Amino acid sequence: MYAQNVSTGTQGVRDADELSPEEAAFQARIDGNIKIEPKDWMPAAYRKTLIRQIGQHAHSEIVGQLPEGNWVTRAPTLERKAILLAKVQDEAGHGLYLYCAAETLGISRDELMNKLHSGEMKYSSIFNYPTLTWADMGAVGWLVDGAAIMNQVPLQRTSFGPYARAMVRICKEESFHQRQGYSIMMSMVSGTPAQKEMAQDALNRFWYPALMMFGPSDKDSVHSDQSMAWKIKMNTNDELRQRFVNETVPQAHYLGLTIPDDDLVWNEETGNYDFSQPDWEEFKAVLKGNGPCNRERLGARIKAWEGGEWFRDGLAAYAEKAAKRRVAA
Amino acid sequence: MANEWPLWEIFIRGQHGLNHRHVGSLHAPDAEMAINNARDVYTRRKEGVSIWVARSTEITASTPSDKGPMFDPAEDKIYRHPTFYNIPDEVGNM
């Protein structure tokens, strides 16, 4: 999940008789699956929560370019390089769709950028892990984009129109991301023993961080109930995590790789895999800014933003001048 | 920053013979750059054959609360639809 631990600023879900007439009408629309559009009335907390969630989602797409951008110049073949470049470009596009959706709620692009750079807004914990070898490009596409798809497919039905429409567009493009990652893994495991080892090592390092993407366990996820009532969250964290494990384990078996979890076992009774939880203390530390790459990622973002300022200003100055010239002519 | 680029609404013609359709929006300093950016943001997979851009501030929209008075009057004018009229089978296809 690209949005983790999004606060709703509320204390649980209120009963129907505690809602104002406006709030009740709003909730009735959501319950009837009628989309909420930017100009419609909405509770202030719904607006605020969505700005946080969509903003965090957008930031994740943009920051998510960095670990993969790291490998564009070092891809093993021209074809892989072109593919990786296309994927990284897609992530930029996904960020832009989402920023626009957030802006319809009354926050500006620059405010969003500033909040990312100041650390007030977060991005997904997963992008604070380093990409050390080429096999990591395989693991990221397969696991990270795979986990993102789990979360994004149901969000196509989310209650806020612009968010839902951005999700439809993103989901159409996301499947390529996962498949290209799996295709890298297939090449690695059919290569030399050293290459297969690299693939296993990448899986070992990305497995638990990928499980963390879905956010804390349901019992510790304090804002889930309100978000689900508003239909800005469609499934619980544990539901999606389970679904991801169930789908991914056979894919790892096909590759001949081992999931780094000694307690992983198929549970005949529940029809699910039983699996070990990630280290939630590590998750909290990464969210707080103390993951392996937090400083590097944010530093790269700020450098790009500040270093590009003269260029943005130059284009704006040219546009202004050209407009004046047109008026004069 | 005071210099935020304006917002543009993007319309794409998917195929020859179809209407341009609203696909989303983006920021750009001027119309030319808006078209360039729209190509990269909205047509990476051959989604279009033509692009229109319009400044978002130039678009006037109806308000959601006017939905009733705006659109309800059409509701009871079912005689505007061909199925309102019964034409005998003997007349043939009409």
Side-chain angles (χ1 to χ4, degrees), chain A residues 39-40 89-90 96-97 100 103 108-110 169 173 176 309 312-313 319, chain B residues 1 3-5 23 25-27 29-30 33 41-42 44-45 61 64:
Chain A
K39 283 183 155 187
D40 294 336
Q89 193 190 21
D90 271 358
L96 292 177
Y97 307 152
C100 281
E103 286 172 74
S108 77
R109 178 74 58 93
D110 283 2
R169 193 173 281 280
E173 299 176 347
F176 140 60
E309 190 174 352
R312 293 192 302 276
D313 288 351
Chain B
M1 199 175 54
N3 252 350
E4 189 163 321
W5 290 345
V23 293
S25 43
L26 52 76
H27 290 274
D30 58 26
M33 284 298 291
V41 179
Y42 292 106
R44 290 193 300 281
R45 290 177 177 78

PDB file of all heavy atoms in Angstrom, chain A residues 39-40 89-90 96-97 100 103 108-110 169 173 176 309 312-313 319, chain B residues 1 3-5 23 25-27 29-30 33 41-42 44-45 61 64:
ATOM      1  N   LYS A  39     -16.618  19.680  -6.215  1.00  0.00           N
ATOM      2  CA  LYS A  39     -17.437  20.821  -5.798  1.00  0.00           C
ATOM      3  C   LYS A  39     -18.549  20.426  -4.831  1.00  0.00           C
ATOM      4  O   LYS A  39     -19.248  21.294  -4.300  1.00  0.00           O
ATOM      5  CB  LYS A  39     -18.054  21.496  -7.031  1.00  0.00           C
ATOM      6  CG  LYS A  39     -17.071  22.357  -7.799  1.00  0.00           C
ATOM      7  CD  LYS A  39     -17.795  23.042  -8.945  1.00  0.00           C
ATOM      8  CE  LYS A  39     -17.117  24.325  -9.396  1.00  0.00           C
ATOM      9  NZ  LYS A  39     -17.976  25.010 -10.407  1.00  0.00           N
ATOM     10  N   ASP A  40     -18.745  19.123  -4.599  1.00  0.00           N
ATOM     11  CA  ASP A  40     -19.798  18.674  -3.677  1.00  0.00           C
ATOM     12  C   ASP A  40     -19.422  19.000  -2.239  1.00  0.00           C
ATOM     13  O   ASP A  40     -18.251  19.074  -1.895  1.00  0.00           O
ATOM     14  CB  ASP A  40     -19.995  17.154  -3.790  1.00  0.00           C
ATOM     15  CG  ASP A  40     -20.542  16.751  -5.144  1.00  0.00           C
ATOM     16  OD1 ASP A  40     -21.182  17.599  -5.798  1.00  0.00           O
ATOM     17  OD2 ASP A  40     -20.320  15.591  -5.562  1.00  0.00           O
ATOM     18  N   GLN A  89       9.273   6.398 -16.020  1.00  0.00           N
ATOM     19  CA  GLN A  89       8.465   7.490 -16.578  1.00  0.00           C
ATOM     20  C   GLN A  89       6.995   7.320 -16.199  1.00  0.00           C
ATOM     21  O   GLN A  89       6.307   8.288 -15.881  1.00  0.00           O
ATOM     22  CB  GLN A  89       8.630   7.530 -18.101  1.00  0.00           C
ATOM     23  CG  GLN A  89       8.079   8.808 -18.711  1.00  0.00           C
ATOM     24  CD  GLN A  89       8.012   8.759 -20.229  1.00  0.00           C
ATOM     25  OE1 GLN A  89       8.005   7.687 -20.835  1.00  0.00           O
ATOM     26  NE2 GLN A  89       7.959   9.930 -20.838  1.00  0.00           N
ATOM     27  N   ASP A  90       6.523   6.073 -16.212  1.00  0.00           N
ATOM     28  CA  ASP A  90       5.146   5.804 -15.770  1.00  0.00           C
ATOM     29  C   ASP A  90       4.936   6.281 -14.333  1.00  0.00           C
ATOM     30  O   ASP A  90       3.899   6.847 -14.002  1.00  0.00           O
ATOM     31  CB  ASP A  90       4.848   4.300 -15.811  1.00  0.00           C
ATOM     32  CG  ASP A  90       4.306   3.843 -17.159  1.00  0.00           C
ATOM     33  OD1 ASP A  90       4.126   4.688 -18.055  1.00  0.00           O
ATOM     34  OD2 ASP A  90       4.066   2.626 -17.304  1.00  0.00           O
ATOM     35  N   LEU A  96       1.790  12.472 -11.155  1.00  0.00           N
ATOM     36  CA  LEU A  96       1.093  13.660 -11.658  1.00  0.00           C
ATOM     37  C   LEU A  96      -0.426  13.484 -11.637  1.00  0.00           C
ATOM     38  O   LEU A  96      -1.155  14.405 -11.277  1.00  0.00           O
ATOM     39  CB  LEU A  96       1.576  13.993 -13.079  1.00  0.00           C
ATOM     40  CG  LEU A  96       3.032  14.466 -13.163  1.00  0.00           C
ATOM     41  CD1 LEU A  96       3.442  14.687 -14.602  1.00  0.00           C
ATOM     42  CD2 LEU A  96       3.240  15.752 -12.373  1.00  0.00           C
ATOM     43  N   TYR A  97      -0.921  12.286 -12.026  1.00  0.00           N
ATOM     44  CA  TYR A  97      -2.378  12.065 -11.965  1.00  0.00           C
ATOM     45  C   TYR A  97      -2.864  12.304 -10.538  1.00  0.00           C
ATOM     46  O   TYR A  97      -3.908  12.904 -10.299  1.00  0.00           O
ATOM     47  CB  TYR A  97      -2.786  10.624 -12.309  1.00  0.00           C
ATOM     48  CG  TYR A  97      -2.281  10.033 -13.616  1.00  0.00           C
ATOM     49  CD1 TYR A  97      -2.092   8.652 -13.723  1.00  0.00           C
ATOM     50  CD2 TYR A  97      -2.026  10.816 -14.728  1.00  0.00           C
ATOM     51  CE1 TYR A  97      -1.647   8.077 -14.902  1.00  0.00           C
ATOM     52  CE2 TYR A  97      -1.579  10.245 -15.901  1.00  0.00           C
ATOM     53  CZ  TYR A  97      -1.385   8.871 -15.986  1.00  0.00           C
ATOM     54  OH  TYR A  97      -0.939   8.287 -17.139  1.00  0.00           O
ATOM     55  N   CYS A 100      -2.821  15.950  -9.194  1.00  0.00           N
ATOM     56  CA  CYS A 100      -3.974  16.691  -9.722  1.00  0.00           C
ATOM     57  C   CYS A 100      -5.238  16.329  -8.949  1.00  0.00           C
ATOM     58  O   CYS A 100      -6.064  17.205  -8.664  1.00  0.00           O
ATOM     59  CB  CYS A 100      -4.170  16.407 -11.214  1.00  0.00           C
ATOM     60  SG  CYS A 100      -3.023  17.342 -12.228  1.00  0.00           S
ATOM     61  N   GLU A 103      -5.159  18.124  -5.743  1.00  0.00           N
ATOM     62  CA  GLU A 103      -5.353  19.572  -5.900  1.00  0.00           C
ATOM     63  C   GLU A 103      -6.827  19.948  -6.026  1.00  0.00           C
ATOM     64  O   GLU A 103      -7.206  21.067  -5.682  1.00  0.00           O
ATOM     65  CB  GLU A 103      -4.583  20.077  -7.126  1.00  0.00           C
ATOM     66  CG  GLU A 103      -3.080  20.150  -6.897  1.00  0.00           C
ATOM     67  CD  GLU A 103      -2.315  20.454  -8.180  1.00  0.00           C
ATOM     68  OE1 GLU A 103      -2.358  21.610  -8.639  1.00  0.00           O
ATOM     69  OE2 GLU A 103      -1.701  19.525  -8.723  1.00  0.00           O
ATOM     70  N   SER A 108      -2.503  23.304  -3.079  1.00  0.00           N
ATOM     71  CA  SER A 108      -1.772  23.584  -4.321  1.00  0.00           C
ATOM     72  C   SER A 108      -0.600  22.617  -4.468  1.00  0.00           C
ATOM     73  O   SER A 108      -0.172  21.982  -3.508  1.00  0.00           O
ATOM     74  CB  SER A 108      -1.256  25.018  -4.332  1.00  0.00           C
ATOM     75  OG  SER A 108      -0.106  25.121  -3.509  1.00  0.00           O
ATOM     76  N   ARG A 109      -0.091  22.519  -5.695  1.00  0.00           N
ATOM     77  CA  ARG A 109       1.017  21.620  -5.988  1.00  0.00           C
ATOM     78  C   ARG A 109       2.242  21.996  -5.158  1.00  0.00           C
ATOM     79  O   ARG A 109       2.916  21.135  -4.596  1.00  0.00           O
ATOM     80  CB  ARG A 109       1.351  21.691  -7.486  1.00  0.00           C
ATOM     81  CG  ARG A 109       2.532  20.836  -7.916  1.00  0.00           C
ATOM     82  CD  ARG A 109       2.187  19.368  -7.942  1.00  0.00           C
ATOM     83  NE  ARG A 109       1.073  19.092  -8.824  1.00  0.00           N
ATOM     84  CZ  ARG A 109       1.192  18.744 -10.104  1.00  0.00           C
ATOM     85  NH1 ARG A 109       2.372  18.598 -10.633  1.00  0.00           N
ATOM     86  NH2 ARG A 109       0.127  18.522 -10.838  1.00  0.00           N
ATOM     87  N   ASP A 110       2.504  23.309  -5.086  1.00  0.00           N
ATOM     88  CA  ASP A 110       3.684  23.740  -4.327  1.00  0.00           C
ATOM     89  C   ASP A 110       3.550  23.430  -2.843  1.00  0.00           C
ATOM     90  O   ASP A 110       4.520  23.045  -2.199  1.00  0.00           O
ATOM     91  CB  ASP A 110       3.932  25.237  -4.542  1.00  0.00           C
ATOM     92  CG  ASP A 110       4.570  25.502  -5.901  1.00  0.00           C
ATOM     93  OD1 ASP A 110       4.762  24.533  -6.652  1.00  0.00           O
ATOM     94  OD2 ASP A 110       4.865  26.669  -6.210  1.00  0.00           O
ATOM     95  N   ARG A 169      -6.681   4.692 -14.347  1.00  0.00           N
ATOM     96  CA  ARG A 169      -5.600   4.937 -15.290  1.00  0.00           C
ATOM     97  C   ARG A 169      -4.308   4.243 -14.812  1.00  0.00           C
ATOM     98  O   ARG A 169      -3.596   3.609 -15.582  1.00  0.00           O
ATOM     99  CB  ARG A 169      -5.392   6.455 -15.348  1.00  0.00           C
ATOM    100  CG  ARG A 169      -4.548   6.974 -16.441  1.00  0.00           C
ATOM    101  CD  ARG A 169      -4.621   8.488 -16.424  1.00  0.00           C
ATOM    102  NE  ARG A 169      -5.849   8.969 -17.033  1.00  0.00           N
ATOM    103  CZ  ARG A 169      -6.001   9.054 -18.348  1.00  0.00           C
ATOM    104  NH1 ARG A 169      -5.033   8.719 -19.164  1.00  0.00           N
ATOM    105  NH2 ARG A 169      -7.128   9.500 -18.850  1.00  0.00           N
ATOM    106  N   GLU A 173      -1.808   0.691 -16.224  1.00  0.00           N
ATOM    107  CA  GLU A 173      -0.391   0.715 -16.572  1.00  0.00           C
ATOM    108  C   GLU A 173       0.464  -0.129 -15.629  1.00  0.00           C
ATOM    109  O   GLU A 173       1.580  -0.506 -15.967  1.00  0.00           O
ATOM    110  CB  GLU A 173       0.101   2.174 -16.558  1.00  0.00           C
ATOM    111  CG  GLU A 173      -0.652   3.009 -17.570  1.00  0.00           C
ATOM    112  CD  GLU A 173      -0.299   4.491 -17.553  1.00  0.00           C
ATOM    113  OE1 GLU A 173       0.351   4.964 -16.611  1.00  0.00           O
ATOM    114  OE2 GLU A 173      -0.702   5.178 -18.509  1.00  0.00           O
ATOM    115  N   PHE A 176       2.094  -3.949 -16.269  1.00  0.00           N
ATOM    116  CA  PHE A 176       3.371  -4.023 -16.994  1.00  0.00           C
ATOM    117  C   PHE A 176       4.538  -3.965 -16.001  1.00  0.00           C
ATOM    118  O   PHE A 176       5.528  -4.679 -16.145  1.00  0.00           O
ATOM    119  CB  PHE A 176       3.422  -2.906 -18.046  1.00  0.00           C
ATOM    120  CG  PHE A 176       4.744  -2.187 -18.221  1.00  0.00           C
ATOM    121  CD1 PHE A 176       5.902  -2.866 -18.589  1.00  0.00           C
ATOM    122  CD2 PHE A 176       4.821  -0.807 -18.062  1.00  0.00           C
ATOM    123  CE1 PHE A 176       7.101  -2.179 -18.772  1.00  0.00           C
ATOM    124  CE2 PHE A 176       6.018  -0.128 -18.237  1.00  0.00           C
ATOM    125  CZ  PHE A 176       7.157  -0.819 -18.587  1.00  0.00           C
ATOM    126  N   GLU A 309      14.666  25.098  -9.898  1.00  0.00           N
ATOM    127  CA  GLU A 309      13.873  26.323  -9.716  1.00  0.00           C
ATOM    128  C   GLU A 309      14.139  27.350 -10.818  1.00  0.00           C
ATOM    129  O   GLU A 309      13.211  27.933 -11.380  1.00  0.00           O
ATOM    130  CB  GLU A 309      14.171  26.920  -8.335  1.00  0.00           C
ATOM    131  CG  GLU A 309      13.217  28.046  -7.988  1.00  0.00           C
ATOM    132  CD  GLU A 309      13.404  28.538  -6.563  1.00  0.00           C
ATOM    133  OE1 GLU A 309      14.169  27.912  -5.809  1.00  0.00           O
ATOM    134  OE2 GLU A 309      12.791  29.561  -6.224  1.00  0.00           O
ATOM    135  N   ARG A 312      12.247  26.294 -13.928  1.00  0.00           N
ATOM    136  CA  ARG A 312      10.797  26.542 -13.844  1.00  0.00           C
ATOM    137  C   ARG A 312      10.501  28.035 -13.964  1.00  0.00           C
ATOM    138  O   ARG A 312       9.602  28.445 -14.682  1.00  0.00           O
ATOM    139  CB  ARG A 312      10.241  26.007 -12.511  1.00  0.00           C
ATOM    140  CG  ARG A 312      10.273  24.505 -12.371  1.00  0.00           C
ATOM    141  CD  ARG A 312       9.439  24.038 -11.175  1.00  0.00           C
ATOM    142  NE  ARG A 312       9.856  24.611  -9.907  1.00  0.00           N
ATOM    143  CZ  ARG A 312      10.853  24.119  -9.142  1.00  0.00           C
ATOM    144  NH1 ARG A 312      11.519  23.056  -9.549  1.00  0.00           N
ATOM    145  NH2 ARG A 312      11.159  24.692  -8.001  1.00  0.00           N
ATOM    146  N   ASP A 313      11.294  28.840 -13.250  1.00  0.00           N
ATOM    147  CA  ASP A 313      11.097  30.288 -13.294  1.00  0.00           C
ATOM    148  C   ASP A 313      11.346  30.836 -14.698  1.00  0.00           C
ATOM    149  O   ASP A 313      10.634  31.723 -15.162  1.00  0.00           O
ATOM    150  CB  ASP A 313      12.024  30.978 -12.291  1.00  0.00           C
ATOM    151  CG  ASP A 313      11.569  30.751 -10.860  1.00  0.00           C
ATOM    152  OD1 ASP A 313      10.450  30.211 -10.686  1.00  0.00           O
ATOM    153  OD2 ASP A 313      12.323  31.092  -9.923  1.00  0.00           O
ATOM    154  N   ALA A 319       6.911  32.551 -20.717  1.00  0.00           N
ATOM    155  CA  ALA A 319       5.473  32.500 -21.018  1.00  0.00           C
ATOM    156  C   ALA A 319       4.836  33.873 -20.797  1.00  0.00           C
ATOM    157  O   ALA A 319       4.009  34.325 -21.599  1.00  0.00           O
ATOM    158  CB  ALA A 319       4.795  31.454 -20.133  1.00  0.00           C
TER     159      ALA A 319
ATOM    160  N   MET B   1       5.870  29.065  -3.256  1.00  0.00           N
ATOM    161  CA  MET B   1       6.435  29.923  -4.299  1.00  0.00           C
ATOM    162  C   MET B   1       5.293  30.607  -5.063  1.00  0.00           C
ATOM    163  O   MET B   1       4.294  29.979  -5.389  1.00  0.00           O
ATOM    164  CB  MET B   1       7.279  29.064  -5.236  1.00  0.00           C
ATOM    165  CG  MET B   1       8.256  29.853  -6.052  1.00  0.00           C
ATOM    166  SD  MET B   1       9.315  28.746  -7.007  1.00  0.00           S
ATOM    167  CE  MET B   1       8.109  27.747  -7.861  1.00  0.00           C
ATOM    168  N   ASN B   3       5.350  31.593  -7.989  1.00  0.00           N
ATOM    169  CA  ASN B   3       5.448  31.356  -9.424  1.00  0.00           C
ATOM    170  C   ASN B   3       4.847  30.030  -9.889  1.00  0.00           C
ATOM    171  O   ASN B   3       5.304  29.481 -10.869  1.00  0.00           O
ATOM    172  CB  ASN B   3       6.926  31.375  -9.815  1.00  0.00           C
ATOM    173  CG  ASN B   3       7.240  32.639 -10.579  1.00  0.00           C
ATOM    174  OD1 ASN B   3       6.323  33.363 -10.956  1.00  0.00           O
ATOM    175  ND2 ASN B   3       8.516  32.897 -10.799  1.00  0.00           N
ATOM    176  N   GLU B   4       3.874  29.500  -9.191  1.00  0.00           N
ATOM    177  CA  GLU B   4       3.329  28.191  -9.584  1.00  0.00           C
ATOM    178  C   GLU B   4       2.732  28.268 -10.985  1.00  0.00           C
ATOM    179  O   GLU B   4       1.989  29.177 -11.320  1.00  0.00           O
ATOM    180  CB  GLU B   4       2.267  27.742  -8.575  1.00  0.00           C
ATOM    181  CG  GLU B   4       1.843  26.323  -8.805  1.00  0.00           C
ATOM    182  CD  GLU B   4       1.125  25.719  -7.596  1.00  0.00           C
ATOM    183  OE1 GLU B   4       1.537  25.998  -6.452  1.00  0.00           O
ATOM    184  OE2 GLU B   4       0.174  24.981  -7.808  1.00  0.00           O
ATOM    185  N   TRP B   5       3.095  27.300 -11.817  1.00  0.00           N
ATOM    186  CA  TRP B   5       2.565  27.262 -13.186  1.00  0.00           C
ATOM    187  C   TRP B   5       1.057  27.064 -13.152  1.00  0.00           C
ATOM    188  O   TRP B   5       0.542  26.330 -12.310  1.00  0.00           O
ATOM    189  CB  TRP B   5       3.175  26.090 -13.953  1.00  0.00           C
ATOM    190  CG  TRP B   5       4.627  26.256 -14.283  1.00  0.00           C
ATOM    191  CD1 TRP B   5       5.356  27.404 -14.228  1.00  0.00           C
ATOM    192  CD2 TRP B   5       5.511  25.235 -14.722  1.00  0.00           C
ATOM    193  NE1 TRP B   5       6.645  27.156 -14.608  1.00  0.00           N
ATOM    194  CE2 TRP B   5       6.776  25.840 -14.918  1.00  0.00           C
ATOM    195  CE3 TRP B   5       5.369  23.881 -14.976  1.00  0.00           C
ATOM    196  CZ2 TRP B   5       7.885  25.118 -15.355  1.00  0.00           C
ATOM    197  CZ3 TRP B   5       6.468  23.159 -15.412  1.00  0.00           C
ATOM    198  CH2 TRP B   5       7.701  23.777 -15.606  1.00  0.00           C
ATOM    199  N   VAL B  23      -9.364  14.138 -20.179  1.00  0.00           N
ATOM    200  CA  VAL B  23      -8.646  13.022 -19.570  1.00  0.00           C
ATOM    201  C   VAL B  23      -8.000  13.393 -18.239  1.00  0.00           C
ATOM    202  O   VAL B  23      -7.595  12.529 -17.483  1.00  0.00           O
ATOM    203  CB  VAL B  23      -7.551  12.455 -20.506  1.00  0.00           C
ATOM    204  CG1 VAL B  23      -8.166  11.808 -21.725  1.00  0.00           C
ATOM    205  CG2 VAL B  23      -6.553  13.543 -20.905  1.00  0.00           C
ATOM    206  N   SER B  25      -5.726  16.819 -15.969  1.00  0.00           N
ATOM    207  CA  SER B  25      -5.155  18.150 -16.008  1.00  0.00           C
ATOM    208  C   SER B  25      -3.674  18.094 -15.668  1.00  0.00           C
ATOM    209  O   SER B  25      -3.171  17.062 -15.225  1.00  0.00           O
ATOM    210  CB  SER B  25      -5.903  19.064 -15.041  1.00  0.00           C
ATOM    211  OG  SER B  25      -6.139  18.398 -13.820  1.00  0.00           O
ATOM    212  N   LEU B  26      -2.983  19.185 -15.919  1.00  0.00           N
ATOM    213  CA  LEU B  26      -1.570  19.274 -15.550  1.00  0.00           C
ATOM    214  C   LEU B  26      -1.143  20.740 -15.468  1.00  0.00           C
ATOM    215  O   LEU B  26      -1.830  21.625 -15.954  1.00  0.00           O
ATOM    216  CB  LEU B  26      -0.685  18.493 -16.520  1.00  0.00           C
ATOM    217  CG  LEU B  26      -0.801  18.736 -18.014  1.00  0.00           C
ATOM    218  CD1 LEU B  26      -0.133  20.045 -18.444  1.00  0.00           C
ATOM    219  CD2 LEU B  26      -0.122  17.586 -18.762  1.00  0.00           C
ATOM    220  N   HIS B  27       0.006  20.967 -14.860  1.00  0.00           N
ATOM    221  CA  HIS B  27       0.561  22.318 -14.769  1.00  0.00           C
ATOM    222  C   HIS B  27       1.555  22.547 -15.900  1.00  0.00           C
ATOM    223  O   HIS B  27       2.335  21.641 -16.234  1.00  0.00           O
ATOM    224  CB  HIS B  27       1.289  22.508 -13.446  1.00  0.00           C
ATOM    225  CG  HIS B  27       0.386  22.551 -12.261  1.00  0.00           C
ATOM    226  ND1 HIS B  27      -0.211  23.712 -11.840  1.00  0.00           N
ATOM    227  CD2 HIS B  27      -0.052  21.591 -11.423  1.00  0.00           C
ATOM    228  CE1 HIS B  27      -0.956  23.460 -10.771  1.00  0.00           C
ATOM    229  NE2 HIS B  27      -0.883  22.165 -10.497  1.00  0.00           N
ATOM    230  N   PRO B  29       3.749  26.156 -17.976  1.00  0.00           N
ATOM    231  CA  PRO B  29       3.861  27.620 -18.037  1.00  0.00           C
ATOM    232  C   PRO B  29       3.035  28.234 -19.158  1.00  0.00           C
ATOM    233  O   PRO B  29       2.538  29.347 -19.022  1.00  0.00           O
ATOM    234  CB  PRO B  29       5.362  27.857 -18.259  1.00  0.00           C
ATOM    235  CG  PRO B  29       5.893  26.567 -18.793  1.00  0.00           C
ATOM    236  CD  PRO B  29       5.033  25.494 -18.212  1.00  0.00           C
ATOM    237  N   ASP B  30       2.911  27.551 -20.294  1.00  0.00           N
ATOM    238  CA  ASP B  30       2.109  28.098 -21.395  1.00  0.00           C
ATOM    239  C   ASP B  30       1.478  26.950 -22.199  1.00  0.00           C
ATOM    240  O   ASP B  30       1.708  25.773 -21.915  1.00  0.00           O
ATOM    241  CB  ASP B  30       2.952  29.009 -22.299  1.00  0.00           C
ATOM    242  CG  ASP B  30       4.168  28.283 -22.880  1.00  0.00           C
ATOM    243  OD1 ASP B  30       4.113  27.041 -23.015  1.00  0.00           O
ATOM    244  OD2 ASP B  30       5.167  28.951 -23.195  1.00  0.00           O
ATOM    245  N   MET B  33       3.826  24.316 -23.901  1.00  0.00           N
ATOM    246  CA  MET B  33       4.382  23.361 -22.952  1.00  0.00           C
ATOM    247  C   MET B  33       3.302  22.426 -22.412  1.00  0.00           C
ATOM    248  O   MET B  33       3.561  21.257 -22.110  1.00  0.00           O
ATOM    249  CB  MET B  33       5.055  24.091 -21.779  1.00  0.00           C
ATOM    250  CG  MET B  33       6.412  24.685 -22.108  1.00  0.00           C
ATOM    251  SD  MET B  33       7.627  23.444 -22.588  1.00  0.00           S
ATOM    252  CE  MET B  33       7.873  22.590 -21.030  1.00  0.00           C
ATOM    253  N   VAL B  41       2.381  12.844 -20.429  1.00  0.00           N
ATOM    254  CA  VAL B  41       1.613  12.365 -19.282  1.00  0.00           C
ATOM    255  C   VAL B  41       0.434  11.492 -19.717  1.00  0.00           C
ATOM    256  O   VAL B  41       0.115  10.512 -19.053  1.00  0.00           O
ATOM    257  CB  VAL B  41       1.121  13.543 -18.406  1.00  0.00           C
ATOM    258  CG1 VAL B  41       0.298  13.039 -17.225  1.00  0.00           C
ATOM    259  CG2 VAL B  41       2.296  14.353 -17.889  1.00  0.00           C
ATOM    260  N   TYR B  42      -0.199  11.844 -20.837  1.00  0.00           N
ATOM    261  CA  TYR B  42      -1.458  11.167 -21.166  1.00  0.00           C
ATOM    262  C   TYR B  42      -1.440  10.299 -22.431  1.00  0.00           C
ATOM    263  O   TYR B  42      -2.422   9.646 -22.735  1.00  0.00           O
ATOM    264  CB  TYR B  42      -2.593  12.202 -21.271  1.00  0.00           C
ATOM    265  CG  TYR B  42      -2.922  12.806 -19.925  1.00  0.00           C
ATOM    266  CD1 TYR B  42      -2.550  14.109 -19.596  1.00  0.00           C
ATOM    267  CD2 TYR B  42      -3.582  12.051 -18.952  1.00  0.00           C
ATOM    268  CE1 TYR B  42      -2.838  14.648 -18.344  1.00  0.00           C
ATOM    269  CE2 TYR B  42      -3.875  12.581 -17.712  1.00  0.00           C
ATOM    270  CZ  TYR B  42      -3.504  13.872 -17.411  1.00  0.00           C
ATOM    271  OH  TYR B  42      -3.780  14.387 -16.176  1.00  0.00           O
ATOM    272  N   ARG B  44       1.353   8.040 -23.434  1.00  0.00           N
ATOM    273  CA  ARG B  44       2.559   7.213 -23.533  1.00  0.00           C
ATOM    274  C   ARG B  44       2.301   5.895 -24.258  1.00  0.00           C
ATOM    275  O   ARG B  44       3.224   5.208 -24.662  1.00  0.00           O
ATOM    276  CB  ARG B  44       3.125   6.920 -22.134  1.00  0.00           C
ATOM    277  CG  ARG B  44       3.733   8.127 -21.458  1.00  0.00           C
ATOM    278  CD  ARG B  44       4.540   7.721 -20.235  1.00  0.00           C
ATOM    279  NE  ARG B  44       3.739   7.036 -19.246  1.00  0.00           N
ATOM    280  CZ  ARG B  44       2.926   7.641 -18.391  1.00  0.00           C
ATOM    281  NH1 ARG B  44       2.812   8.949 -18.407  1.00  0.00           N
ATOM    282  NH2 ARG B  44       2.224   6.955 -17.518  1.00  0.00           N
ATOM    283  N   ARG B  45       1.016   5.514 -24.368  1.00  0.00           N
ATOM    284  CA  ARG B  45       0.714   4.235 -25.026  1.00  0.00           C
ATOM    285  C   ARG B  45      -0.244   4.427 -26.200  1.00  0.00           C
ATOM    286  O   ARG B  45      -1.219   3.711 -26.337  1.00  0.00           O
ATOM    287  CB  ARG B  45       0.132   3.263 -23.997  1.00  0.00           C
ATOM    288  CG  ARG B  45       1.184   2.801 -22.997  1.00  0.00           C
ATOM    289  CD  ARG B  45       0.604   1.902 -21.922  1.00  0.00           C
ATOM    290  NE  ARG B  45       1.637   1.413 -21.025  1.00  0.00           N
ATOM    291  CZ  ARG B  45       2.184   2.115 -20.049  1.00  0.00           C
ATOM    292  NH1 ARG B  45       1.804   3.355 -19.842  1.00  0.00           N
ATOM    293  NH2 ARG B  45       3.110   1.590 -19.274  1.00  0.00           N
ATOM    294  N   ALA B  61     -18.183  26.015 -14.935  1.00  0.00           N
ATOM    295  CA  ALA B  61     -18.920  24.764 -14.717  1.00  0.00           C
ATOM    296  C   ALA B  61     -20.244  25.044 -14.020  1.00  0.00           C
ATOM    297  O   ALA B  61     -20.362  26.022 -13.270  1.00  0.00           O
ATOM    298  CB  ALA B  61     -18.079  23.819 -13.866  1.00  0.00           C
ATOM    299  N   PRO B  64     -23.030  21.800  -8.655  1.00  0.00           N
ATOM    300  CA  PRO B  64     -23.716  20.539  -8.347  1.00  0.00           C
ATOM    301  C   PRO B  64     -25.102  20.765  -7.733  1.00  0.00           C
ATOM    302  O   PRO B  64     -26.034  20.006  -8.010  1.00  0.00           O
ATOM    303  CB  PRO B  64     -22.790  19.864  -7.332  1.00  0.00           C
ATOM    304  CG  PRO B  64     -21.459  20.495  -7.528  1.00  0.00           C
ATOM    305  CD  PRO B  64     -21.702  21.871  -8.014  1.00  0.00           C
TER     306      PRO B  64
END
